[in-house]
């Protein structure tokens, strides 16, 4: 990978890690607000933290052997910064307002869907199997998060929750 592409890719991966950490903080906030489901929220938060760590590991792999990697699908730093800012806004809103947990779950579902659609695994092209496995892990776990949140929403709605 050439230097400008390398710099851009590393910036993208760091912004992706920051996005995961911001989602982690959102879920931790939800855990604090809705104690009866705190294990659910904290479980998601913990996995988001792991995703950030994985993204930083992937960045280190690229930095260590840039010749083994090529820039993939370009990612807009501005879009990632807007995503992070939007999640931070959601966190502040949750802290200030009294909203039903079901609304927070719907926000979480939207976030997980957005992360899936971001296609993290396409940012870098490589034959490095470990790198591909790490990217695939994030994609798979995010899909699981979406299904878990969908299940919680369905259970809440079936119980007559709002």
């Amino acid at each position: 990978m050439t230097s400008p592409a390398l710099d851009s890719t590393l910036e993208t991966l760091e912004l992706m890690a920051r996005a995961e950490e911001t989602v982690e903080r959102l879920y931790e906030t939800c855990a604090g607000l809705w104690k009866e489901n705190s294990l659910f929220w904290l479980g998601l938060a913990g996995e988001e933290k792991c995703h950030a760590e994985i993204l930083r590991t992937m960045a280190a792999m690229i930095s260590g052997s840039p010749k083994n990697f090529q820039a993939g699908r370009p990612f807009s730093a501005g879009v990632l910064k807007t995503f992070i800012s939007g999640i931070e806004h959601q966190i502040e809103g949750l802290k200030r307002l009294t909203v039903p947990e079901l609304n927070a779950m719907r926000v979480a579902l939207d976030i997980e869907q957005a992360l899936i659609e971001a296609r993290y695994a396409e940012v870098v092209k490589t034959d490095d199997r470990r790198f591909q496995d790490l990217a695939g892990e994030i994609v798979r776990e995010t899909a699981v998060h979406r299904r878990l949140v969908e299940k919680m929403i369905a259970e809440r709605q079936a119980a007559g929750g709002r």
Side-chain angles (χ1 to χ4, degrees), residues 72-133:
R73 188 172 74 89
F75 244 78
S76 166
V79 168
L80 285 166
K81 289 175 183 175
T82 299
F83 179 80
I84 292 167
S85 176
I87 302 304
E88 289 170 343
H89 180 73
Q90 290 287 345
I91 292 168
E92 291 309 310
L94 285 173
K95 289 177 181 177
R96 283 193 318 268
L97 304 173
T98 304
V99 298
E101 184 180 21
L102 187 56
N103 289 7
M105 288 178 185
R106 288 184 179 122
V107 168
L109 183 59
D110 289 345
I111 289 168
E112 295 298 338
Q113 186 62 41
L115 291 172
I116 289 170
E117 290 171 0
R119 300 191 308 249
Y120 282 12
E122 297 176 14
V123 173
V124 174
K125 294 179 186 177
T126 185
D127 291 329
D128 186 302
R129 193 73 201 146
R130 181 167 179 254
F131 187 94
Q132 292 172 346
D133 289 345

